[in-house]
Amino acid sequence: MEYSNTLPLTRLAATLAAAAGVEPPRLAEEKIDGLAETLKEKAGPDGIDRVVIYNPDAIARWLFQKYAGEFAPVLRHAQTAVEFQTVFPPVTPVCFASMYTGTKPAVHGIRKYEKPVVTTDSLFDALIRAGKKTAIVSVRGCSMSKIFLEKDMDYFIMDCDEAVCEKAVELIEKDTYDFLSVYTQDYDSLMHLTGTESEIALNAMRSQIDIFRKIAEAVDASYKKHNTLLGFCTDHGVHNNENGAGKHGEDIPEDRNITHFFGVKARSKFVTFRA
C-alpha cells in the first residue's frame, strides 16, 4: 500500500515539545526539525508560552481536499499545513495515544479500540515536569477523557461538543493554562451513522471547524500578552463501507492520510501593562 503522506504521526509529540520549549516525552520519536524551528521563529525571541491544540475527530485529508472552502476559518488562523500518516489501526484511542506519546502502538500498548490509561510517558507528563499548567477539555466517555487520566493536571469532561467549546473559550479567557488540549467528536459520531458526506455529517464537520474559529478568536482576544501556538490536529481519516455508513480502522489512504494545521499568534505590541 502506497501513501501520499509518509510523515509519521509519532513525530508530532516531540515537535510540539520543542516548539513549547520543554523536553520531549521520554520515548518519543524524533521531532520534525523544520516545523519546530518554523513555529518558534514565528513567535520571535521570547518563544512560545501558550499552546492550544484542538483535536477534532476523524477529519480526513480527503475531506480537506474536497471541501477546501469549508476550511477557510482554519487556514485564517493556522496557515502551516503538515501532512501526516497516522498509525495503524487508525482508531481514536490508538491514534491519540501515539499523537501525545510520540510512540507506536507496540510501545504505548493500545493496539485496538480500547481505552486504558496510558502509562507510557506523554507530552502531558513532559509539560508537567517543566512546571506548565496543563488541561484536557473533552467529551465524556471519549478516548481523550480516559487514556491520559491520573496525571497532575486538570480535566474538564463535558457532555457534548458545544459544552467543550464553551469551556475551552472560558479557560482561554481566564488565561491560567500554559497548554490546553481540546477534543470534540460530532463529525465522527454522525458519519458512522449517516455516511462520511451526508448533510448531517458535513454540518458536524462545519461545526467542528467553527469551534476552532471560536477558540482561535478567544486566543486573539485573551492571549494578547502571549505567543500562542494554535493547532488543528485530527487523529485519523474515514471512508464509507459497502452499505454507505462511515467507518475507519483499515490500512488504506482514506483512513491513514491526515492533515494538521498550525499557526502562531504573536504577542501584541500594543498590550498595556498596569502595576
Side-chain angles (χ1 to χ4, degrees):
M1 181 73 67
E2 293 186 2
Y3 296 91
S4 55
N5 291 15
T6 58
L7 190 64
L9 182 63
T10 44
R11 295 182 65 184
L12 178 61
T15 304
L16 293 177
V22 303
E23 292 297 314
R26 290 178 176 136
L27 299 178
E29 295 185 10
E30 64 180 333
K31 69 181 185 296
I32 307 164
D33 286 325
L35 178 58
E37 292 307 313
T38 295
L39 296 173
K40 287 193 290 185
E41 285 173 6
K42 289 183 177 181
D46 294 333
I48 291 166
D49 63 326
R50 289 285 186 271
V51 181
V52 181
I53 301 298
Y54 177 51
N55 294 132
D57 202 308
I59 306 299
R61 177 194 179 210
W62 69 262
L63 282 168
F64 168 63
Q65 292 174 320
K66 187 169 183 178
Y67 299 97
E70 303 283 1
F71 286 79
V74 176
L75 294 171
R76 188 174 302 123
H77 296 282
Q79 297 86 15
T80 300
V82 182
E83 296 185 343
F84 286 103
Q85 182 185 130
T86 197
V87 292
F88 182 83
V91 294
T92 302
V94 177
C95 296
F96 279 125
S98 287
M99 185 187 301
Y100 282 105
T101 65
T103 66
K104 294 181 173 64
V107 177
H108 62 65
I110 304 183
R111 304 188 189 201
K112 59 183 180 180
Y113 190 83
E114 59 182 1
K115 304 174 187 178
V117 173
V118 173
T119 58
T120 302
D121 198 60
S122 71
L123 179 59
F124 302 113
D125 297 294
L127 289 160
I128 293 164
R129 285 194 294 271
K132 303 294 186 181
K133 191 169 183 183
T134 304
I136 291 174
V137 190
S138 66
V139 180
R140 192 177 313 279
C142 74
S143 299
M144 285 298 291
S145 74
K146 293 185 175 185
I147 67 174
F148 295 113
L149 290 175
E150 303 176 7
K151 301 183 187 302
D152 186 19
M153 56 187 281
D154 291 333
Y155 302 89
F156 299 91
I157 310 303
M158 317 305 291
D159 290 328
C160 63
D161 281 11
E162 291 76 14
V164 166
C165 180
E166 290 175 6
K167 178 56 69 173
V169 168
E170 175 191 327
L171 295 176
I172 292 167
E173 290 173 347
K174 290 181 177 178
D175 189 14
T176 56
Y177 289 95
D178 302 299
F179 187 100
L180 288 173
S181 169
V182 183
Y183 168 88
T184 62
Q185 67 179 21
D186 275 359
Y187 174 74
D188 181 79
S189 298
L190 291 169
M191 71 85 193
H192 277 301
L193 297 173
T194 63
T196 59
E197 296 180 87
S198 72
E199 193 59 27
I200 292 173
L202 290 177
N203 280 339
M205 179 190 77
R206 296 179 186 109
S207 176
Q208 294 197 152
I209 291 169
D210 196 53
I211 288 171
F212 180 76
R213 176 189 64 78
K214 291 175 181 177
I215 288 170
E217 290 178 354
V219 167
D220 285 340
S222 299
Y223 281 2
K224 292 182 185 296
K225 64 182 180 180
H226 301 292
N227 291 320
T228 303
L229 171 58
L230 190 61
F232 182 102
C233 303
T234 194
D235 50 349
H236 56 71
V238 291
H239 69 282
N240 283 336
N241 65 20
E242 60 278 4
N243 297 320
K247 62 180 297 188
H248 54 87
E250 297 183 19
D251 191 13
I252 57 176
E254 291 84 353
D255 286 6
R256 296 193 65 186
N257 285 342
I258 56 175
T259 305
H260 287 185
F261 303 89
F262 302 96
V264 174
K265 304 280 191 177
R267 178 180 294 125
S268 172
K269 298 178 182 179
F270 304 104
V271 174
T272 300
F273 294 91
R274 293 184 175 88

